[in-house]
């Protein structure tokens, strides 16, 4: 991944109970865990290259059953978002941030609905 110049990795469906459980499942060489939200049935984690030092966690929370990790990297906000398929989007669907902001949402089951919501942000 480093050869492809990937700075951040946003994982979803981690199915872990805590950071120790996540680390026991393995590590990603050259990357450090920035933040994680744990769930036995869902879960998200965001990793960054270990040489990146200008990174801040702005939010790591479950909001209306939607897991959201927001980090700021060199002035750009990146959101790792997981919405379970049986949960309806809130209104607004998630926190709004000033640009530049990147929303990382991986469609599952209700994918078309998810893509349409993201396009309206």
């Amino acid at each position: 991944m480093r050869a492809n110049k990937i700075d951040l990795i946003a994982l979803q469906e981690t199915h872990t109970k805590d950071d120790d459980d996540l680390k026991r499942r393995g590590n990603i060489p050259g990357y450090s865990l920035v933040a994680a939200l744990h769930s036995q049935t869902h879960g998200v984690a965001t990793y960054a290259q270990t040489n990146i030092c200008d990174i801040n966690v702005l939010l790591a929370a479950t909001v209306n059953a939607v897991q959201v990790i927001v980090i700021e990297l060199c002035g750009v906000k990146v959101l790792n978002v997981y919405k379970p398929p049986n949960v309806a989007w809130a209104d607004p669907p998630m926190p709004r941030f000033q640009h530049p902001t990147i929303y990382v949402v991986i469609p599952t089951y209700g994918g078309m609905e998810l893509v349409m919501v993201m396009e309206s942000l």
Side-chain angles (χ1 to χ4, degrees):
M1 284 184 268
R2 291 183 76 146
N4 292 321
K5 299 182 181 177
I6 297 171
D7 293 326
L8 297 174
I9 299 172
L11 294 180
Q12 300 182 351
E13 296 284 359
T14 55
H15 301 267
T16 56
K17 61 182 177 182
D18 56 30
D19 283 355
D20 290 334
D21 189 24
L22 185 61
K23 290 174 185 173
R24 274 193 296 278
R25 293 177 181 226
N27 63 2
I28 303 171
Y31 292 82
S32 298
L33 178 64
V34 175
L37 294 171
H38 304 285
S39 167
Q40 295 288 344
T41 55
H42 307 299
V44 295
T46 302
Y47 290 81
Q49 278 194 28
T50 53
N51 63 347
I52 297 175
C53 57
D54 184 18
I55 191 164
N56 296 306
V57 177
L58 302 180
L59 176 69
T62 301
V63 181
N64 299 320
V66 176
Q67 294 179 315
V68 181
I69 295 175
V70 183
I71 63 165
E72 186 169 23
L73 170 69
C74 301
V76 176
K77 294 167 198 73
V78 179
L79 283 75
N80 181 1
V81 179
Y82 177 78
K83 181 191 82 64
N86 61 339
V87 172
W89 282 108
D91 185 19
M94 65 189 71
R96 294 178 187 253
F97 294 90
Q98 291 182 347
H99 293 286
T101 301
I102 299 169
Y103 293 81
V104 178
V105 181
I106 308 300
T108 60
Y109 303 111
M112 289 305 294
E113 171 195 8
L114 186 59
V115 171
M116 291 170 59
V117 169
M118 292 311 300
E119 288 176 354
S120 69
L121 288 178

